[in-house]
Amino acid sequence: MQKDPLPFTSPLLNTGATRPTSVSIPSATLAAATPRATANNNLNNSPLGNGVYAPPQSQSLPPTQPTLRTPTESFSVSAFRRRSLCSIDQPGVVMTRLPQELEDTQHEFGSKLVVIMVGLPARGKSYLVKKLQRYLTWLQYDTKVFNVGNRRRIASKGDNRNGTSHSHAFFDPKNTAAKEIRDELALESLEELIAWLKQGGRVGIHDATNSSRERRKLLLNRLEQEPNCRVLFIESICTDPVVLAHNLTMKLSSPDYKDMDERQAREDFRKRLENYERAYQTLGEEDEEDGIQYCKLINVGKKVIAYNIQGYLAGQCIFYLMNFNLSPRCIWLTRHGESVDNIVGKIGGDAPLSARGKRYGDCLSRFIQHQKKENKKSRRVEAEAGMAISPLRERTVAVWTSMLTRTKETVEGFDPKEYDIKHIRFLNEIYAGICEGLSYTEIEMEYPEEFEARRVNKLFYRYPGMGGESYLDVIQRLNPLIIELERMTSDLLIVTHRVVLRILLGYLMDIDRSKMPEMDVHLHTLYCVEPKPHGTVVRKYRWDEELDWFVEESVDK
């Protein structure tokens, strides 16, 4: 695994723990707690991002009677891994304590999952892959996509200098020479995936059609040589004519058809699709005989068939994929209006709004009401033009806030008869433990070590004291809301706090985890995120106090 630049705390296992002050630590304590992240900790002596912890050699454990082992009883990576009874392995949340014999193999531990995509072209596989990669990366699993089509385009000199690197004839199942090349490219991509997992990756996604049992068996035979990898097949099936037509249009803009006449490109892709359909074999009973785990998603999750799903990570993938949809919607996100604590620079607490913050809340309610009417008009136009992917229907706009006073007061101008308003504890600001109610200047003076530890590694730093949280804690408690966000078909306004807003935008905008904790999310700024089949559209608005209205600004990732 690519190691994090600095050590970090395992948040849920170390609640309220203080920084170790002695080099002699009881083994029972080590099992339940882990050292907090500091600027001076040695990376090799700290918890790792893959949930593995090896006690530092400088620490002395209570003396125990030596255990004699025969050569057949010696520790090995595979034997130790097979012994594990728990499949929950969340980065920064779960640790595996290793014996000293295996300290040098830390990167080999943690869930290793290979996701193999299955399906005809233009069935939304790449869309599913991008969504899944974004979600798992947000959960802090190192995830990478290995696209066989990209490898084919790079490896081929092409038979059309200005257009497709391979014409439809290359995909003819009777073209034996071409089939051997396609299988070779699929195996090369798989080898690259396996090598990446061995370097510390967690989830590798093999993005290809893999539409025949012969091809899938070829990949499985290779993966059977890797005992630490689990395999999950995900098949995307689409029969919705509107979605298929949209996917076809998107496919014609792919690199395969760059600078090609649209009519010629459409005809070539139609013939390519016919070739794939002749050899296509859906996942079924014959695949089940190999003991595989798979999931079939039909029409973007409207129907889901899951078989033999094993392990926490595979289960998380399936649960996520079966909860999203293609309905057009706007997700509005903002921090609360200015509070009295914001004026004096205090963090945490439950302060009310200032007079300026209340003005922001009033303007926010008027602006969302205006946008609600504008969205209704534009969606009606799309439906009448036959461009809508999902049917047009009347929707109630949802409003979510945290349980803290400053967010509740920000939405006081929203009528509960017109909006579905909910106050959700998951959206509360990060809890700063013993630093609650202090300014950053006061924290630097009273707790200089904590201030420095937070500065150098904000993502993994955890506030000291009972209930103190890290960004990783907040990510885990926001996970159910992300699933709900993907499931919802209505517009939504979220009024929350700085850290929570950074984490939500980090997911929605697919922002690198190293940049997410440093995002500038100022007070009185409103973001609008629109999930689209081809990506995410983001707009940003700033409250102009003189105009008492919102002005659109450019978005910087």
Side-chain angles (χ1 to χ4, degrees):
M1 173 175 287
Q2 181 180 357
K3 294 185 179 179
D4 298 302
L6 288 170
F8 67 93
T9 302
S10 179
L12 298 187
L13 297 182
N14 193 31
T15 302
T18 58
R19 195 181 304 281
T21 57
S22 171
V23 295
S24 180
I25 303 176
S27 58
T29 303
L30 273 175
T34 173
R36 293 177 42 72
T38 69
N40 299 320
N41 276 352
N42 186 306
L43 177 61
N44 294 328
N45 294 338
S46 63
L48 300 177
N50 61 358
V52 179
Y53 178 66
Q57 293 184 0
S58 60
Q59 295 173 339
S60 58
L61 299 177
T64 57
Q65 293 296 324
T67 301
L68 299 178
R69 299 188 183 94
T70 64
T72 57
E73 293 174 327
S74 61
F75 280 109
S76 68
V77 173
S78 57
F80 188 84
R81 183 175 180 82
R82 285 194 297 269
R83 194 188 72 179
S84 178
L85 301 178
C86 178
S87 65
I88 298 178
D89 186 13
Q90 297 173 284
V93 176
V94 178
M95 298 184 306
T96 299
R97 182 182 171 191
L98 297 181
Q100 290 186 347
E101 291 91 332
L102 299 182
E103 287 180 18
D104 293 335
T105 64
Q106 292 168 344
H107 67 280
E108 297 187 27
F109 287 86
S111 303
K112 304 284 185 178
L113 181 65
V114 178
V115 177
I116 298 179
M117 300 303 298
V118 177
L120 293 169
R123 264 43 178 194
K125 293 187 302 299
S126 294
Y127 171 74
L128 295 177
V129 161
K130 290 177 182 177
K131 295 276 287 188
L132 186 59
Q133 180 191 30
R134 184 180 71 177
Y135 174 65
L136 294 175
T137 301
W138 178 79
L139 287 176
Q140 308 305 304
Y141 293 100
D142 285 339
T143 305
K144 187 174 180 179
V145 177
F146 297 82
N147 186 281
V148 177
N150 290 341
R151 178 177 288 272
R152 169 179 57 79
R153 283 183 282 270
I154 293 172
S156 171
K157 294 180 180 179
D159 53 18
N160 183 339
R161 187 173 302 172
N162 298 316
T164 177
S165 58
H166 286 108
S167 68
H168 63 87
F170 181 77
F171 304 94
D172 188 335
K174 295 181 179 180
N175 188 336
T176 306
K179 178 181 178 300
E180 290 180 358
I181 295 174
R182 297 199 308 272
D183 288 344
E184 182 180 346
L185 290 169
L187 281 175
E188 287 178 0
S189 293
L190 184 63
E191 290 295 341
E192 184 182 359
L193 185 157
I194 293 170
W196 179 77
L197 288 178
K198 289 182 177 179
Q199 293 170 3
R202 302 294 293 281
V203 183
I205 303 178
H206 192 270
D207 186 11
T209 57
N210 298 319
S211 53
S212 69
R213 292 191 184 94
E214 183 182 356
R215 162 72 70 80
R216 297 194 289 269
K217 188 66 176 177
L218 187 68
L219 300 178
L220 272 177
N221 288 342
R222 173 62 186 90
L223 286 167
E224 285 176 355
Q225 302 173 34
E226 306 296 331
N228 292 338
C229 292
R230 295 194 179 202
V231 183
L232 171 65
F233 287 89
I234 297 178
E235 181 176 7
S236 180
I237 299 173
C238 184
T239 59
D240 188 320
V242 176
V243 177
L244 279 173
H246 182 273
N247 290 349
L248 175 60
T249 302
M250 295 295 297
K251 195 71 176 179
L252 296 180
S253 62
S254 74
D256 272 349
Y257 297 107
K258 183 181 179 182
D259 300 326
M260 181 182 284
D261 175 74
E262 182 180 348
R263 181 178 298 179
Q264 181 185 355
R266 191 176 292 273
E267 179 64 17
D268 182 88
F269 183 73
R270 183 185 65 80
K271 292 180 179 179
R272 179 192 296 194
L273 193 55
E274 288 177 354
N275 284 333
Y276 270 110
E277 288 173 341
R278 283 158 52 194
Y280 178 51
Q281 295 171 302
T282 186
L283 290 167
E285 292 184 0
E286 291 189 32
D287 297 274
E288 293 171 8
E289 292 176 0
D290 294 323
I292 68 170
Q293 53 180 343
Y294 71 77
C295 175
K296 300 172 76 166
L297 294 168
I298 302 169
N299 293 330
V300 200
K302 288 185 178 179
K303 182 178 180 180
V304 179
I305 300 173
Y307 174 80
N308 195 33
I309 303 302
Q310 301 174 5
Y312 176 82
L313 191 49
Q316 282 290 105
C317 293
I318 303 306
F319 184 60
Y320 172 75
L321 291 174
M322 65 189 294
N323 276 284
F324 67 82
N325 63 88
L326 297 177
S327 297
R329 60 199 186 279
C330 291
I331 302 172
W332 301 88
L333 305 102
T334 184
R335 291 174 64 186
H336 53 81
E338 180 189 72
S339 72
V340 295
D341 276 356
N342 290 138
I343 297 174
V344 296
K346 292 183 178 180
I347 67 172
D350 193 19
L353 294 183
S354 66
R356 183 167 173 257
K358 291 180 179 179
R359 287 187 60 212
Y360 174 76
D362 292 339
C363 183
L364 180 65
S365 63
R366 287 185 280 111
F367 184 75
I368 294 298
Q369 180 68 20
H370 170 76
Q371 291 296 319
K372 178 182 175 183
K373 295 177 181 178
E374 292 298 313
N375 288 339
K376 186 176 181 180
K377 291 179 184 178
S378 62
R379 288 166 187 164
R380 182 180 294 114
V381 170
E382 285 184 359
E384 291 174 352
M387 300 170 58
I389 294 180
S390 61
L392 182 66
R393 58 180 179 274
E394 195 69 28
R395 300 170 183 168
T396 300
V397 177
V399 177
W400 294 353
T401 81
S402 73
M403 297 288 281
L404 299 176
T405 301
R406 52 193 183 274
T407 61
K408 292 180 179 179
E409 290 185 350
T410 302
V411 300
E412 283 184 350
F414 290 83
D415 186 353
K417 295 180 181 179
E418 189 174 354
Y419 296 90
D420 180 18
I421 304 174
K422 285 183 170 56
H423 308 301
I424 304 173
R425 194 173 300 278
F426 292 148
L427 291 171
N428 281 10
E429 180 59 303
I430 188 171
Y431 187 69
I434 62 175
C435 298
E436 281 280 308
L438 301 178
S439 68
Y440 288 116
T441 302
E442 291 171 330
I443 295 173
E444 185 176 14
M445 293 176 60
E446 296 184 30
Y447 307 103
E449 289 187 4
E450 297 295 337
F451 184 86
E452 179 65 9
R454 177 184 177 275
R455 185 189 67 79
V456 298
N457 201 351
K458 189 183 292 185
L459 179 63
F460 297 128
Y461 171 78
R462 191 162 175 274
Y463 281 103
M466 184 62 68
E469 290 185 298
S470 70
Y471 270 77
L472 292 180
D473 278 310
V474 181
I475 287 172
Q476 294 303 324
R477 66 169 153 96
L478 287 175
N479 190 18
L481 290 188
I482 293 298
I483 300 298
E484 186 66 7
L485 276 178
E486 294 292 352
R487 186 198 65 80
M488 291 182 66
T489 58
S490 63
D491 291 342
L492 169 66
L493 168 66
I494 299 177
V495 180
T496 184
H497 308 268
R498 178 162 50 190
V499 170
V500 176
L501 182 55
R502 283 172 173 162
I503 292 173
L504 290 175
L505 288 175
Y507 168 76
L508 293 168
M509 297 171 63
D510 197 17
I511 295 173
D512 186 85
R513 72 177 186 180
S514 64
K515 298 179 181 179
M516 181 263 290
E518 306 297 336
M519 287 179 63
D520 289 327
V521 286
H522 299 291
L523 284 173
H524 303 162
T525 302
L526 179 65
Y527 295 85
C528 178
V529 179
E530 291 187 76
K532 301 281 189 179
H534 54 78
T536 302
V537 177
V538 182
R539 299 194 302 274
K540 178 182 176 183
Y541 299 86
R542 173 182 55 83
W543 178 51
D544 188 309
E545 289 189 68
E546 293 185 4
L547 296 176
D548 197 21
W549 198 245
F550 286 86
V551 179
E552 188 168 358
E553 294 184 336
S554 60
V555 179
D556 297 321
K557 273 199 176 186

